[in-house]
Each structure stands twice: as C-alpha cells, then as structure tokens.
Amino acid sequence: MMDGDIVHGRPNGFYRKPYEYLCEPKCELNHCAWTLMGALRKDLQRRGGDMIILAKRMGESLAQAIEKGEANWVTLSRELEQIKNQYLGSTPHYYTETVLRAAKTVLNDFRYGERIETKNLPEVMVEQYMKQVYQSQFEARIAPIYNHGDLDDSLLSERLQDIQPHIYNIIDEKWAKKATANEDVSKLRRPKRQNINKIDMEEDLL
C-alpha cells in the first residue's frame, strides 16, 4: 500500500479531537465513534463530489471490462490510472491517489477471487474510497510506538477494532449508496447519537 500522504504519529486536522477522545480511558466508545463519523464526513465533504464521480467512473469501467471477460490485470490497473489522470490539475493529487488506491483494492479482490460479482460495482468503489479515507487519515496515522497518553497500545488497538464496525456500517448501509446515487457528499449526516450502536435503516443520513 502506498502511504506517501500519511504522517505517522497522531491524527490531525478534522481527526485530532476524535483521537483525543479515543485516548481518554473514560470516554465512551459510542461518543468516540460518533465524533469520528463527524470528522470523516467533513473530510469527505472537503474532498468533494468529484471524488465520488471519479470512483463511480472507475467502478463502471472495471465492471464493463470484467463482464466482457477482460482479465489482464496489468492493463486494467493502467486503465484505472488513466481515468485518475484525467483529474490531474483540477484537484489535489493525494485526493485522486486515495481513490486510485481504493480502486486497486477492489481490482485485487477480483484478481485473487475474493470478489466475483460486478453488480453495483460503482457503489462498491465509492464505499471502498470512503473506507480508504478513514484508514489512511485516521487509523494509519496512529503509530503503535507513539505516546498515546494514558492509553497503552493494546487498549488503543482494541478500541480501534471496536469502533471500526460502526464507521463501516454507516458507509456500507447509508453513505456510499446515497453518495453514489447523488454524486455528492455535501449533505452526508451522522446517525443520531443514541442510534450509534444500532443503525436505524429508515433514518435518512443524507
């Protein structure tokens, strides 16, 4: 995994406050997760709808190629890069690189037989992009040897494992679906804090 845009140590920017909450031993995990969702939402909104459109285009291109029986993985990887390059100059490079990393993760899933279904692949690509933003801007920036206050590394790791499913559920069940349909992230919403442990599938989060 390329990580040239990752600065190991402590998350900063939108993610500084969620990280500080995470490191407080008495902080409730549902509050940490809710705060972290807010940071991720702001980050996705800063990156804008163009990254959703880019992820969709990559998903559509990959789906068409696989459905036609094209399985030259090197060629498919280059085609994804060519799509990404069309956005050069109009958006920060590390934004498009994040989308490309997500797309190549999905591509590798097909290559090694971990994924075979092409249905809804544009949405799957958007979903993976959102997860890639979360992983690269929050989880990957927490260096295991860094001083995390009163929280030791093992407990911090456990907290991250407990919180991740909440983040991924919101992405999988709500955000990716509606962002793909609308090609927009400006109105993403968090669930109500009391619903953090059980997603209300009728609640509109966009």
Side-chain angles (χ1 to χ4, degrees):
M1 168 181 169
M2 298 175 291
D3 62 350
D5 60 337
I6 297 173
V7 179
H8 297 284
R10 294 176 177 174
N12 53 24
F14 296 133
Y15 300 95
R16 181 181 61 84
K17 185 59 67 174
Y19 168 76
E20 290 176 352
Y21 284 144
L22 190 69
C23 291
E24 293 178 6
K26 295 183 179 180
C27 183
E28 295 182 0
L29 287 183
N30 61 345
H31 178 66
C32 293
W34 190 79
T35 305
L36 184 51
M37 286 177 195
L40 178 59
R41 178 187 61 181
K42 290 179 181 178
D43 198 354
L44 293 171
Q45 290 172 341
R46 176 182 62 180
R47 293 165 187 258
D50 281 351
M51 297 302 97
I52 301 299
I53 295 172
L54 174 56
K56 278 187 65 175
R57 286 189 58 195
M58 289 182 173
E60 291 165 353
S61 177
L62 185 58
Q64 291 172 5
I66 293 175
E67 288 168 2
K68 290 178 181 178
E70 300 174 6
N72 186 321
W73 306 112
V74 174
T75 299
L76 291 177
S77 180
R78 288 174 179 168
E79 289 177 357
L80 293 174
E81 292 177 3
Q82 290 173 357
I83 295 173
K84 182 213 73 170
N85 289 341
Q86 295 175 15
Y87 285 74
L88 293 179
S90 62
T91 192
H93 175 69
Y94 69 93
Y95 286 8
T96 57
E97 281 296 323
T98 301
V99 180
L100 182 61
R101 286 201 301 272
K104 288 191 175 183
T105 296
V106 176
L107 176 63
N108 283 334
D109 287 347
F110 280 103
R111 180 177 184 179
Y112 296 108
E114 296 179 13
R115 184 185 297 273
I116 58 174
E117 178 61 63
T118 59
K119 183 180 179 181
N120 296 328
L121 198 50
E123 181 182 320
V124 169
M125 203 70 81
V126 170
E127 175 186 305
Q128 187 60 46
Y129 157 66
M130 291 181 171
K131 291 177 180 178
Q132 185 68 47
V133 173
Y134 168 75
Q135 291 167 2
S136 65
Q137 299 304 305
F138 189 72
E139 286 191 350
R141 289 176 182 261
I142 300 177
I145 60 174
Y146 209 83
N147 179 10
H148 301 290
D150 295 330
L151 215 62
D152 62 39
D153 290 340
S154 61
L155 183 53
L156 180 61
S157 179
E158 288 178 10
R159 287 190 160 209
L160 287 172
Q161 291 176 13
D162 289 339
I163 284 177
Q164 189 189 81
H166 295 299
I167 306 299
Y168 282 9
N169 281 339
I170 290 298
I171 291 173
D172 293 347
E173 304 294 346
K174 290 290 184 178
W175 285 4
K177 185 185 299 294
K178 292 196 173 182
T180 303
N182 291 281
E183 297 185 344
D184 183 59
V185 289
S186 63
K187 296 181 181 180
L188 291 178
R189 291 167 51 194
R190 289 177 288 185
K192 296 177 182 178
R193 195 178 308 191
Q194 63 266 30
N195 291 339
I196 195 75
N197 291 318
K198 183 178 181 180
I199 298 174
D200 181 358
M201 297 304 296
E202 300 301 321
E203 184 179 0
D204 186 1
L205 297 181
L206 189 67

